[in-house]
Amino acid sequence: MLSRRNKMGNKIEPCLIIIFGATGDLTNRKLLPAFYKLEFENLLHKDSKIIAFARKEKSNEQFRKEALKAINTFSKFKVDNKVWKKLENKIFYHQSEFQDIKGFNRLKELIKKICTKTTSCNKVFYLSAPPGFFGPIISNLKKSGLTASSGWSRVVFEKPFGHDLKSAKKLNESIKKVFKEKQIYRIDHYVGKELVQNLLVLRFANSIFEPIWNKKYIDHVQITVAEDIGVETRGNYYEKSGALRDIIQNHMLQLVALTAMEPPVTLDAEDIREEKVKVLRSIRPLTTKDIGKMTVRGQYGSGVVNDKKVKAYHDEDKVSKKSNTETFAALKLNIDNSRWSDVPFYLRTGKRLKERVAEITIVFKQNSGILFNEHVKNIEPNMLIVRIQPEEGISLQFSAKVPGKKMIIDNVRMDFCHECKFGPNTPDAYERLLYDIMIGDQTLFTSWEMVEHSWKIVDKIAKAWKKGKVASYAAGSWGPKNADALIEKDKRKWYAPQKTIYSTFLQNNGNKIQ
Ligand code: BG6
């Protein structure tokens, strides 16, 4: 549950949230449902307003109607009319091209009008537009004087932040001319997910885990971010991005950093971000030869996902028939520090895989005692599985005796089901992140150093992948065969995500929440 004060005791202040690219997928799927939930929780200040800035001609009424439709479609909560009425009155639509300074001047006028009626002129500029427009938007914000007008201003960038290190640096420099680092919020919504935030607690608040969280006890770590959906309507963007830039450069490296980091000095943003960056800096740089051996990419062909026939990636809208873009990526990383040397991290992600699941699996070393050696053939190692989605939870896998006279050992799991314990009201990642922006807490946002080091890792792979052809995998599978070979040559295997006790619980309770 979020509260009206943050950990520094700051209160939620009124502000104007200007969303650039407000008719896009992200606004509909994530931002509007998150604003609805914040309103429901009474966490959107009564004087706050949302200004939807986009290129299409629309009236306030038309946009509000579409916003309600999006909330009805994408929110897991049943819309309460009283809550919607409160939110509806806070939403305004503003039409302009991103490059048109006149549109920004008109925005300034609109803001002036709204500000006089409220107590403050604080502004959040939320850039949910395609990255190519970040430069023009920032420059027009400055030219129009919007960044210098009264109240505080904060600027939010959706990923991807740049296309490679060079473009990210250029973008950062242009932003730095207008905003200070304290005003910049680079979003990685995976960090806002509840179980990802829970990693710090799991590791550092539990005396049973921290002492064994190292190379002495851990054999390896595997992280899976699998999606069952394809590229949907985003072929244009995805053709230039691929799985490496779309997921590995940001979401997955954040998960690696949080799993591997040393305890921060305090829970303050700076201290946590500093420890995360150190992990990325310790990742052993991949040589061209390593990339051939330690990375795998694939592209989905046609197949069956969730009992439905689906088309191949190259037949999707706005995708080239000859596309060589990867929709699947797997890699092995080594972290060269005293905690993790010789403990590989295996990462895999892809679209149109068998199911939607995100998990971090800590695989412990097998017990070397001889007592049960003859019984351990089919026994899996002890594992701690952090289930980020679809259901949230943590499972501990260990060995137990099967009832009966014979000594037979089986794998069993102890499950912590997040929703069973805490109920269905866990804030969604965007709800948490929007709240943090309004309250001025940068802890869950990506620092420039993190962006810089993640591009350093990814650029090398992207460069090597320019040569050669991407392998195909059937939609509905777990990716190309080579991904299995990547881990099997180290005498390990990917552990398929299992249906947990809590997934059954949640399926039975899967309707909209009242
Ligand atoms: C986004 C990617 O950052 O994350 C998308 O651009 C992907 O391609 C999405 O589908 C996955 O997010 P989630 O929260 O549904 O796992």
Side-chain angles (χ1 to χ4, degrees):
M1 178 73 85
L2 304 171
S3 82
R4 288 181 71 82
R5 281 179 189 275
N6 73 349
K7 63 183 186 220
M8 292 96 79
N10 297 349
K11 267 205 326 210
I12 296 185
E13 292 175 285
C15 58
L16 306 171
I17 302 133
I18 301 110
I19 307 174
F20 295 92
T23 48
D25 199 54
L26 181 85
T27 311
N28 286 334
R29 280 177 186 273
K30 306 280 188 187
L31 302 184
L32 288 167
F35 279 122
Y36 171 80
K37 182 70 186 323
L38 287 167
E39 185 67 90
F40 177 85
E41 299 279 358
N42 218 7
L43 291 169
L44 204 54
H45 194 283
K46 65 177 179 33
D47 292 328
S48 284
K49 303 275 185 274
I50 299 162
I51 302 177
F53 185 122
R55 288 178 282 185
K56 291 176 195 149
E57 282 293 349
K58 257 180 232 274
S59 63
N60 284 339
E61 286 61 42
Q62 206 178 342
F63 184 80
R64 289 172 182 170
K65 226 164 129 188
E66 288 167 12
L68 176 60
K69 194 170 161 212
I71 298 168
N72 271 320
T73 312
F74 297 113
S75 172
K76 59 178 180 173
F77 294 87
K78 194 163 184 300
V79 175
D80 174 328
N81 206 35
K82 266 198 224 139
V83 179
W84 164 245
K85 283 286 159 216
K86 267 166 75 186
L87 180 63
E88 182 181 33
N89 290 328
K90 292 181 175 150
I91 301 179
F92 297 83
Y93 186 78
H94 180 75
Q95 186 283 326
S96 169
E97 295 289 330
F98 301 129
Q99 303 97 319
D100 182 8
I101 184 67
K102 286 189 201 131
F104 283 72
N105 292 334
R106 281 189 281 112
L107 174 66
K108 200 174 166 190
E109 292 311 308
L110 174 66
I111 288 180
K112 253 193 215 156
K113 248 199 254 164
I114 299 176
C115 276
T116 51
K117 290 188 196 140
T118 65
T119 52
S120 156
C121 226
N122 301 326
K123 289 170 285 301
V124 172
F125 301 111
Y126 196 120
L127 276 66
S128 161
F133 290 110
F134 287 179
I137 295 173
I138 294 293
S139 132
N140 279 340
L141 282 176
K142 186 164 165 58
K143 271 193 217 152
S144 60
L146 271 163
T147 49
S149 56
S150 66
W152 50 250
S153 29
R154 295 177 187 145
V155 63
V156 185
F157 293 93
E158 267 301 330
K159 57 154 275 270
F161 195 85
H163 182 72
D164 50 20
L165 180 60
K166 197 170 157 212
S167 58
K169 265 188 180 157
K170 200 170 153 211
L171 173 63
N172 204 47
E173 275 155 23
S174 68
I175 297 166
K176 284 301 197 70
K177 286 186 190 142
V178 184
F179 295 98
K180 297 198 172 71
E181 186 66 27
K182 277 266 164 249
Q183 296 174 282
I184 305 174
Y185 290 72
R186 299 178 195 86
I187 283 205
D188 186 313
H189 78 280
Y190 263 63
V191 187
K193 289 185 189 268
E194 190 60 32
L195 260 283
V196 177
Q197 291 177 58
N198 214 336
L199 278 170
L200 286 193
V201 179
L202 176 76
R203 291 192 51 198
F204 303 124
N206 289 299
S207 59
I208 55 170
F209 296 126
E210 180 52 11
I212 56 169
W213 207 269
N214 56 50
K215 64 182 178 202
K216 190 163 172 209
Y217 297 98
I218 295 177
D219 177 75
H220 73 279
V221 176
Q222 40 184 270
I223 306 182
T224 299
V225 173
E227 296 186 87
D228 51 4
I229 55 168
V231 281
E232 316 278 278
T233 54
R234 299 161 73 223
N236 233 345
Y237 151 78
Y238 202 84
E239 275 287 84
K240 289 176 226 119
S241 141
L244 184 67
R245 292 184 172 94
D246 189 44
I247 302 278
I248 303 248
Q249 184 268 339
N250 35 78
H251 305 330
M252 291 199 90
L253 287 179
Q254 288 281 356
L255 298 183
V256 171
L258 284 161
T259 307
M261 69 190 257
E262 293 302 311
V265 178
T266 69
L267 291 177
D268 288 351
E270 279 318 301
D271 292 331
I272 294 179
R273 288 160 146 208
E274 194 180 311
E275 291 307 331
K276 281 164 63 177
V277 172
K278 280 191 202 158
V279 174
L280 296 198
R281 286 174 50 205
S282 311
I283 290 178
R284 190 182 305 159
L286 295 176
T287 62
T288 315
K289 213 166 142 204
D290 292 335
I291 292 170
K293 287 191 294 193
M294 291 163 63
T295 71
V296 169
R297 61 191 159 137
Q299 186 186 89
Y300 62 82
S302 56
V304 178
V305 181
N306 299 329
D307 301 328
K308 272 197 204 128
K309 274 194 179 165
V310 297
K311 53 183 159 186
Y313 175 72
H314 59 239
D315 290 330
E316 300 273 17
D317 262 6
K318 298 182 187 147
V319 169
S320 152
K321 288 268 177 259
K322 291 187 187 146
S323 172
N324 202 33
T325 302
E326 80 286 352
T327 59
F328 176 98
L331 33 137
K332 174 181 168 184
L333 296 174
N334 291 295
I335 301 176
D336 285 335
N337 64 20
S338 58
R339 189 188 282 263
W340 296 111
S341 60
D342 296 329
V343 181
F345 279 61
Y346 298 94
L347 277 47
R348 63 173 171 169
T349 183
K351 290 203 182 278
R352 285 284 189 232
L353 295 182
K354 198 169 166 50
E355 60 185 279
R356 175 176 184 254
V357 64
E359 278 187 357
I360 301 173
T361 306
I362 313 293
V363 183
F364 292 94
K365 290 188 170 159
Q366 292 271 39
N367 189 346
S368 57
I370 52 161
L371 213 47
F372 294 106
N373 268 4
E374 62 183 288
H375 310 278
V376 296
K377 280 197 194 82
N378 299 318
I379 294 298
E380 289 180 345
N382 293 156
M383 290 188 247
L384 185 70
I385 301 130
V386 179
R387 179 101 161 181
I388 299 165
Q389 61 191 33
E391 328 81 33
E392 297 157 322
I394 299 172
S395 301
L396 182 65
Q397 176 168 299
F398 56 98
S399 304
K401 182 185 168 301
V402 175
K405 294 190 189 76
K406 278 193 185 161
M407 175 54 80
I408 302 173
I409 298 180
D410 202 357
N411 311 300
V412 294
R413 288 190 176 194
M414 264 187 334
D415 289 318
F416 152 53
C417 159
H418 195 270
E419 194 164 312
C420 320
K421 164 78 182 159
F422 296 117
N425 269 338
T426 300
D428 166 77
Y430 272 93
E431 200 184 318
R432 170 65 200 253
L433 296 170
L434 286 170
Y435 166 85
D436 280 0
I437 296 163
M438 292 190 286
I439 216 153
D441 184 345
Q442 288 185 306
T443 313
L444 301 181
F445 296 83
T446 312
S447 64
W448 163 247
E449 287 71 25
M450 190 86 185
V451 175
E452 185 180 17
H453 287 283
S454 53
W455 278 125
K456 280 186 184 165
I457 298 164
V458 161
D459 273 1
K460 285 209 174 104
I461 305 173
K463 191 171 163 217
W465 281 3
K466 271 195 183 153
K467 293 189 197 126
K469 198 152 167 32
V470 71
S472 174
Y473 61 93
S477 69
W478 279 110
K481 287 273 168 293
N482 284 351
D484 294 336
L486 172 88
I487 189 165
E488 282 166 7
K489 64 184 173 215
D490 293 344
K491 303 210 168 22
R492 297 180 175 112
K493 63 170 188 174
W494 295 109
Y495 291 101
Q498 289 187 9
K499 282 265 170 277
T500 52
I501 303 177
Y502 41 101
S503 62
T504 321
F505 170 89
L506 296 173
Q507 265 161 23
N508 297 338
N509 293 277
N511 296 327
K512 287 235 179 210
I513 301 160
Q514 304 278 343

